[in-house]
């Protein structure tokens, strides 16, 4: 299907740049190289549309997804007529547009949690006011917004009085109330439903939404129209599903909150009501690739809500190349364009094993000749599969080699990233005494610690102080210097009581570290001041709403809890605290949009660590598209720049960089060049260390959308699935009849990419180029 004739000048410019040959999907799409460029194409198309529709109706997304859309839109408006702005406009189809005037647009809020105060910074109403009404200079009078505080309820009451625990029971729509409060709640739900109908009517009275921009959830939801939503749905109060709740957990302070919160959302029919509307879905990263394929290649279905954009001639998907990687178009282009590589041969053979459900050694030459992709392999012969098998065996051999005499620095964007990514590799490295192994988590990671966890720990610390069971506070020099000393002892105490299964003493070990952190952060001078500070902290946190940004000192305190957790994990294997480095890069602030890494503030700490340790091997998360949290690719940028600068000072010819991935997205077998066997014992160690050490994460307040539980379970599943892919190629006999115990005991596999400096920097450079010139 050729969609090109419907593309606007902006879209044509980006489509041409993408080198897309064909688009055979049911909705047109355009690919760009990375997440920041996704913001650029969206901003250009938005401003192009506004210049033609200055009185139009727009609906724009909230959350982290539109970060670069907002930044690029403001950049272009601020630089429209200067050299920088003109260069971008000329390159991307905006050269003939007059500078848009946004002041007469009507803004429609897409969705909102319910109930939530509009005054809270994590409400979408607040987001819209800050970034769109004020940020873009839109008219507040024209705006159609969802303000939970102003939606009429029974007796003119506020939602805090009607729903005192902030839970709305929608079964009251259909059943009789059992008490007076439920009667008021039922009347209120009917009033909310009536308000939603009026909201919908306001949009339709304006002719419908003319320009819609939205992200897509892991289950395919757009706005809060989750999988299974009626295709003719309109604005309504509704429940969500687990995947949506997991994504919203970060906004609301944990899954405990988001699982109990309803939403008000516009419907699929609201989005597609205006038949000439421009409706755009944006998606970045390989984690979204399967739902993108399902949404674009299937007929309209309530199973894939975004497929409803097929109703619109101007429905579009703008995708990073990673998000588009599973599209049939992308796979066709991969195999049919450019030179044939060995990677293509590997991929084609592994894919045909999956398609036919055949083990590699049972594939016939006829199978290969009849397949769409293996038939393209040059010099296709009886031994083609055998060569792929041998190549894969070599990757497994590389993953089984014991490293010796190496100085290894493992890095991760967040606490637990390293463990979840490559723990079985690391345990082998640590067993070799000639290796020197260091760990560095590059951000503070405080956003993953809930207020509830800190309050509970503070209360336990208070009780222990009352019982005189934190004896160190009685030492003469504790409040001057003692609080900084013997941190290894805290770790040892804690793990000893993990071994003896003494829960009370484990809590005591955690509280020891908490007290040390409070004394250091708040410069406490005596025990009285310590008690007062603990009381103040409990009061501040209890009076904070869920998801509220904490004061900087509480952020630091939460971060130091995460740092203690990381020290506990590596102490399992005898690693001392001095070998666990906490960099706390400054771009990580807890704001909705974290800053770009700064070359001085964020690169220098990494560079100085490289200079100090002088590693021969560096591991890092290789997430150039931001498939996981945006912290991943921002840390990647900072690390790449540090490595680049270090390469100017040192001879790094033999320096190796190991790229790993974990629970957010994974390498495909053909992308990896090292495969490491994982035994059930390895999995148990990872699960146990996670459960015993990542104390703030065991309750999974911020879970993966793929599993309602600990991240360690998600990691284990990925390792098992990766083994199944390779078993299909090599056969199960290869594993359980292997000559070495390590391979025989494999029940999972880890894929990594081993690179030299130049290979690594070429991966990271593309991302850096994409944000140059406007930040």
């Amino acid at each position: 299907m050729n969609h090109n004739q419907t593309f606007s000048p902006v879209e044509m410019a980006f489509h041409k740049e993408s080198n897309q040959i064909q688009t055979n999907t049911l909705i047109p799409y355009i690919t760009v190289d990375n997440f920041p460029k996704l913001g650029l194409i969206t901003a250009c198309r938005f401003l192009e549309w506004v210049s033609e529709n200055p009185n139009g109706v727009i609906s724009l997304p909230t959350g982290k997804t539109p970060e670069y859309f907002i930044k690029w839109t403001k950049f272009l408006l601020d630089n429209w007529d200067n050299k920088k702005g003109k260069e971008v406009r000329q390159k991307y189809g905006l050269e003939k547009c007059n500078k848009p005037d946004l002041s007469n647009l009507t803004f429609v809020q897409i969705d909102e949690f319910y109930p939530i105060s509009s005054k809270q910074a994590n409400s979408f109403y607040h987001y819209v006011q800050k970034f769109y009404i004020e940020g873009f200079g839109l008219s507040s009078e024209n705006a159609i917004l969802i303000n939970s505080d102003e939606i009429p309820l029974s007796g003119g009451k506020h939602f805090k009085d009607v729903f005192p625990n902030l839970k709305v029971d929608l079964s009251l729509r259909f059943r009789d109330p059992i008490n007076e409060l439920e009667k008021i709640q039922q009347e209120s739900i009917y009033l909310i439903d009536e308000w939603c109908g009026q909201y919908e009517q306001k949009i339709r009275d304006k002719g419908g939404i003319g320009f819609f921009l939205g992200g897509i959830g892991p289950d395919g939801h757009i706005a809060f129209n989750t999988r299974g939503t009626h295709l003719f749905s309109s604005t309504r109060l509704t429940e969500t599903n687990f995947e949506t709740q997991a994504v919203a957990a970060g906004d609301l302070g944990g899954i405990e909150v988001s699982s109990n919160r309803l939403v008000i959302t516009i419907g699929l029919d609201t989005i597609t009501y205006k038949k000439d509307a421009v409706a755009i879905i944006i998606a970045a990263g390989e984690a979204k690739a399967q739902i993108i394929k399902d949404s674009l290649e299937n007929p309209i279905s309530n199973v894939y809500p975004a497929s409803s954009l097929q109703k619109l001639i101007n429905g579009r998907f703008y995708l990073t190349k990673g998000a588009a990687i599973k599209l049939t178009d992308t796979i066709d282009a991969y195999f049919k364009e450019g030179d044939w590589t060995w990677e293509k041969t590997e991929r084609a053979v592994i894919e045909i094993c999956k398609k036919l459900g055949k083990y590699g050694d049972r594939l016939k030459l006829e199978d290969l000749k009849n397949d769409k992709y293996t038939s393209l392999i040059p010099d296709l012969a009886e031994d083609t599969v055998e060569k792929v098998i041998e190549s894969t065996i070599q990757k497994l051999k590389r993953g089984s080699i014991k490293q010796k005499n190496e100085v290894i620095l493992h890095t991760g964007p967040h606490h637990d990233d390293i463990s979840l990514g490559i723990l079985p590799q690391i345990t082998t490295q640590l067993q070799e005494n000639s290796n020197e192994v260091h760990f560095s988590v590059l951000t503070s990671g405080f956003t993953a610690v809930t207020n509830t966890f800190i309050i509970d720990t503070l209360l336990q610390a208070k009780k222990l102080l009352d019982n005189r069971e934190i004896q160190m506070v009685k030492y003469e020099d504790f409040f001057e210097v003692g609080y900084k000393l013997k941190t290894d002892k805290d770790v040892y105490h804690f793990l000893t009581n993990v071994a003896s299964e003494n829960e009370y003493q484990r809590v005591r070990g955690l509280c020891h570290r908490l007290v040390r952190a409070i004394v250091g952060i708040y410069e406490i001078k005596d025990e009285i001041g310590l008690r007062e500070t603990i009381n103040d902290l409990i009061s501040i946190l209890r009076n904070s709403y869920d998801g509220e940004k904490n004061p900087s000192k509480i952020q630091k305190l939460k971060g130091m809890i995460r740092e203690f957790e990381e020290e506990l994990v590596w102490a399992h294997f005898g690693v001392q605290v001095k070998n666990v480095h906490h960099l706390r890069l400054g771009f990580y602030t807890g704001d909705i949009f974290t800053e770009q890494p700064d070359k001085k503030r964020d690169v220098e700490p990494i560079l100085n660590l490289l200079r100090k340790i002088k590693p021969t091997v560096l591991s890092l998360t290789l997430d150039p598209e931001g498939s996981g949290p945006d912290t991943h690719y921002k840390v990647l940028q900072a690390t790449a720049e540090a490595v680049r600068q270090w390469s100017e000072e040192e001879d790094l010819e033999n320096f190796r960089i190991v790229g790993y991935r974990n629970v957010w997205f994974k390498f495909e077998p053909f992308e990896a060049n090292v495969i490491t066997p994982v035994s059930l014992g390895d999995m148990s160690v990872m699960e146990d260390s996670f459960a015993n050490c990542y104390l703030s994460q065991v309750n999974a307040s911020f879970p993966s959308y793929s599993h309602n539980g600990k991240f360690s379970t998600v990691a284990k599943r990925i390792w098992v699935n990766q083994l199944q892919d390779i078993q299909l190629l090599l056969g199960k006999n290869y594993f359980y009849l292997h000559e070495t115990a390590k391979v025989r005991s494999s029940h999972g596999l880890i894929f990594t990419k081993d690179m030299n400096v130049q290979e690594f920097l070429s991966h990271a450079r593309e991302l850096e180029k994409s944000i140059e010139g406007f930040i």
Side-chain angles (χ1 to χ4, degrees):
M1 189 184 300
N2 185 0
H3 298 296
N4 295 6
Q5 65 269 23
T6 66
F7 282 161
S8 75
V10 162
E11 289 175 324
M12 285 302 296
F14 279 94
H15 186 261
K16 185 177 178 183
E17 186 177 78
S18 74
N19 294 318
Q20 264 176 261
I21 305 300
Q22 56 185 358
T23 307
N24 291 307
T25 52
L26 297 170
I27 302 170
Y29 69 93
I30 297 172
T31 58
V32 294
D33 290 334
N34 46 55
F35 185 37
K37 199 151 198 178
L38 198 59
L40 176 58
I41 180 176
T42 312
C44 289
R45 181 66 184 106
F46 171 64
L47 294 173
E48 178 185 44
W49 185 88
V50 174
S51 69
E52 297 166 356
N53 301 273
N55 300 307
V57 180
I58 63 169
S59 201
L60 305 174
T62 51
K64 289 184 179 292
T65 303
E67 175 181 2
Y68 286 98
F69 161 68
I70 291 169
K71 287 179 176 176
W72 271 115
T73 297
K74 293 181 80 168
F75 171 85
L76 286 166
L77 289 171
D78 291 345
N79 295 277
W80 193 266
D81 290 318
N82 68 22
K83 185 172 181 288
K84 278 185 176 180
K86 283 180 178 176
E87 284 175 358
V88 174
R89 291 199 295 119
Q90 190 165 7
K91 185 173 182 181
Y92 293 114
L94 283 172
E95 70 276 13
K96 293 179 181 175
C97 291
N98 294 322
K99 183 177 180 179
D101 177 4
L102 279 59
S103 62
N104 293 317
L105 294 169
T106 296
F107 183 92
V108 173
Q109 186 174 334
I110 294 175
D111 47 27
E112 181 61 281
F113 302 114
Y114 189 86
I116 190 169
S117 171
S118 60
K119 297 178 181 65
Q120 289 185 198
N122 60 343
S123 73
F124 292 156
Y125 178 89
H126 183 274
Y127 182 109
V128 165
Q129 291 285 349
K130 180 176 180 179
F131 292 109
Y132 294 136
I133 305 296
E134 295 169 21
F136 283 7
L138 300 177
S139 164
S140 55
E141 290 75 23
N142 287 353
I144 303 173
L145 303 177
I146 306 170
N147 184 335
S148 293
D149 292 307
E150 295 179 356
I151 296 174
L153 301 177
S154 177
K157 292 181 170 63
H158 189 266
F159 65 70
K160 288 180 182 174
D161 301 314
V162 176
F163 307 107
N165 59 1
L166 302 183
K167 289 177 74 170
V168 182
D169 181 359
L170 289 184
S171 73
L172 283 166
R173 278 182 175 147
F174 315 112
R175 67 173 175 83
D176 292 333
I178 59 172
N179 55 40
E180 189 58 33
L181 179 59
E182 282 203 348
K183 185 180 178 187
I184 292 169
Q185 290 176 338
Q186 184 184 64
E187 290 170 0
S188 296
I189 290 168
Y190 292 153
L191 285 169
I192 297 167
D193 290 342
E194 187 177 336
W195 182 92
C196 289
Q198 293 166 355
Y199 190 88
E200 181 76 20
Q201 193 58 53
K202 284 180 187 176
I203 298 169
R204 299 198 178 203
D205 287 347
K206 291 276 188 178
I209 297 167
F211 185 95
F212 173 86
L213 176 64
I216 186 167
D219 68 323
H221 72 253
I222 54 173
F224 276 120
N225 295 288
T226 56
R227 184 181 53 247
T229 294
H230 198 289
L231 292 169
F232 294 95
S233 55
S234 57
T235 303
R236 65 205 182 280
L237 175 69
T238 185
E239 297 170 331
T240 56
N241 56 12
F242 169 72
E243 295 98 324
T244 308
Q245 292 159 11
V247 172
D251 294 313
L252 293 176
I255 191 76
E256 304 89 343
V257 184
S258 62
S259 62
N260 289 315
R261 200 63 58 92
L262 301 188
V263 294
I264 293 174
T265 180
I266 62 174
L268 295 176
D269 200 50
T270 320
I271 295 167
T272 59
Y273 173 74
K274 185 176 171 65
K275 294 311 167 195
D276 63 347
V278 171
I280 299 165
I281 300 297
I282 55 177
E286 292 177 29
K288 295 280 177 72
Q290 186 60 50
I291 193 60
I292 293 299
K293 177 182 175 65
D294 292 337
S295 300
L296 287 177
E297 295 186 355
N298 284 294
I300 294 179
S301 164
N302 64 347
V303 178
Y304 307 117
S307 64
S308 60
L309 266 63
Q310 290 176 37
K311 296 179 180 181
L312 301 174
I313 190 170
N314 291 317
R316 299 282 187 273
F317 275 60
Y318 295 166
L319 310 168
T320 65
K321 289 184 176 174
I325 201 164
K326 291 189 176 180
L327 293 176
T328 304
D329 288 341
T330 304
I331 298 170
D332 282 350
Y334 171 83
F335 283 112
K336 293 176 181 177
E337 295 169 20
D339 295 334
W340 190 270
T341 61
W342 178 249
E343 184 186 272
K344 290 183 181 183
T345 299
E346 283 190 336
R347 181 175 180 180
V349 169
I350 291 168
E351 289 302 319
I352 194 176
C353 286
K354 289 184 190 177
K355 275 185 270 187
L356 300 181
K358 277 189 176 183
Y359 290 112
D361 63 357
R362 294 182 186 174
L363 286 174
K364 307 293 184 191
L365 183 58
E366 202 61 31
D367 293 327
L368 303 182
K369 286 179 177 177
N370 291 334
D371 181 71
K372 185 176 181 181
Y373 302 127
T374 50
S375 61
L376 301 173
I377 297 172
D379 305 319
L380 188 61
E382 294 281 356
D383 65 349
T384 296
V385 176
E386 203 176 303
K387 288 177 181 175
V388 173
I389 289 172
E390 182 53 37
S391 167
T392 305
I393 288 170
Q394 289 305 313
K395 294 180 185 183
L396 272 159
K397 285 181 177 175
R398 283 198 288 276
S400 301
I401 294 170
K402 284 197 171 182
Q403 292 172 294
K404 296 182 180 181
N405 301 305
E406 301 281 9
V407 180
I408 304 165
L409 173 59
H410 293 293
T411 69
H414 304 91
H415 306 83
D416 72 25
D417 276 332
I418 304 169
S419 172
L420 293 170
I422 50 172
L423 181 60
Q425 288 184 350
I426 294 168
T427 53
T428 306
Q429 294 166 351
L430 289 167
Q431 286 161 4
E432 173 53 53
N433 288 331
S434 67
N435 291 328
E436 178 187 331
V437 186
H438 294 258
F439 301 87
S440 181
V441 178
L442 303 186
T443 70
S444 153
F446 60 82
T447 58
V449 182
T450 63
N451 288 352
T452 301
F453 179 85
I454 292 292
I455 290 169
D456 289 346
T457 310
L458 287 165
L459 289 169
Q460 289 166 330
K462 196 175 167 184
K463 188 175 179 181
L464 288 165
L465 283 168
D466 291 341
N467 294 338
R468 297 180 171 274
E469 290 189 79
I470 300 185
Q471 295 156 349
M472 62 186 181
V473 299
K474 302 295 183 186
Y475 298 164
E476 212 171 280
D477 66 345
F478 178 74
F479 292 97
E480 284 73 46
V481 67
Y483 71 91
K484 298 177 187 175
L485 308 176
K486 297 186 178 179
T487 50
D488 275 307
K489 188 178 177 183
D490 295 340
V491 171
Y492 189 78
H493 173 94
F494 186 97
L495 293 182
T496 297
N497 289 291
V498 168
S500 63
E501 298 186 357
N502 189 327
E503 174 66 24
Y504 183 78
Q505 288 298 330
R506 265 192 286 178
V507 169
R508 190 166 162 244
L510 170 62
C511 290
H512 268 75
R513 181 57 70 92
L514 181 74
V515 166
R516 292 182 190 278
I518 292 170
V519 170
I521 294 168
Y522 291 91
E523 300 177 358
I524 309 295
K525 297 305 179 191
D526 53 38
E527 193 174 342
I528 294 170
L530 174 60
R531 289 172 182 275
E532 288 175 350
T533 304
I534 288 175
N535 286 332
D536 288 345
L537 287 168
I538 292 169
S539 176
I540 290 168
L541 290 165
R542 278 181 171 164
N543 289 310
S544 299
Y545 58 78
D546 292 310
E548 182 175 359
K549 183 181 175 182
N550 297 129
S552 60
K553 286 186 177 180
I554 292 180
Q555 289 180 349
K556 189 173 182 181
L557 181 62
K558 286 184 171 184
M560 290 178 80
I561 293 294
R562 296 239 65 197
E563 290 166 0
F564 179 54
E565 293 173 345
E566 195 73 12
E567 291 167 11
L568 290 173
V569 170
W570 304 121
H572 265 66
F573 311 100
V575 177
Q576 292 180 292
V577 168
K578 67 182 176 65
N579 277 28
V580 184
H581 310 272
H582 310 296
L583 292 200
R584 306 177 188 171
L585 297 187
F587 77 83
Y588 188 87
T589 59
D591 293 317
I592 184 73
F593 302 141
T594 55
E595 298 174 35
Q596 283 300 126
D598 177 83
K599 290 202 174 180
K600 185 167 181 62
R601 180 194 62 198
D602 299 312
V603 174
E604 275 193 10
I606 305 172
L607 179 58
N608 288 335
L609 188 62
L610 293 171
R611 288 166 174 158
K612 177 184 172 184
I613 295 172
K614 296 192 182 302
T616 55
V617 178
L618 172 71
S619 80
L620 45 78
T621 49
L622 195 64
D623 185 2
E625 283 204 356
S627 291
D630 64 346
T631 307
H632 281 213
Y633 73 85
K634 289 177 179 176
V635 161
L636 181 66
Q637 285 174 262
T639 307
E641 178 58 22
V643 168
R644 189 192 64 75
Q645 289 187 32
W646 196 43
S647 70
E648 294 174 354
E649 303 170 6
E650 297 277 341
D651 178 5
L652 299 184
E653 186 180 351
N654 297 318
F655 183 56
R656 307 301 303 173
I657 295 167
V658 176
Y660 66 88
R661 294 177 178 172
N662 51 35
V663 297
W664 297 106
F665 76 134
K666 59 190 181 67
F667 283 119
E668 294 297 332
F670 57 87
E671 294 178 293
N673 55 16
V674 178
I675 299 176
T676 304
V678 181
S679 68
L680 279 174
D682 292 327
M683 292 181 194
S684 295
V685 168
M686 192 266 293
E687 286 265 41
D688 288 348
S689 63
F690 191 97
N692 288 323
C693 301
Y694 291 120
L695 308 169
S696 64
Q697 307 305 301
V698 173
N699 291 334
S701 291
F702 305 98
S704 161
Y705 53 78
S706 63
H707 173 63
N708 190 4
K710 303 191 301 290
F711 276 124
S712 53
T713 306
V714 183
K716 191 168 73 171
R717 286 178 182 175
I718 289 170
W719 296 346
V720 171
N721 290 339
Q722 290 178 167
L723 171 69
Q724 289 168 350
D725 284 350
I726 298 302
Q727 276 184 335
L728 201 50
L729 176 68
L730 302 186
K732 290 182 180 178
N733 288 6
Y734 174 82
F735 288 91
Y736 66 75
L737 296 177
H738 199 271
E739 60 189 20
T740 68
K742 182 67 177 172
V743 177
R744 284 198 304 274
S745 66
S746 298
H747 290 281
L749 296 174
I750 290 174
F751 297 161
T752 51
K753 192 173 183 69
D754 190 299
M755 301 167 282
N756 62 32
V757 171
Q758 289 312 311
E759 287 170 328
F760 166 61
L761 291 180
S762 68
H763 276 284
R765 176 60 184 149
E766 287 307 309
L767 184 64
E768 187 183 355
K769 282 196 304 190
S770 69
I771 44 95
E772 285 176 351
F774 82 105
I775 54 171

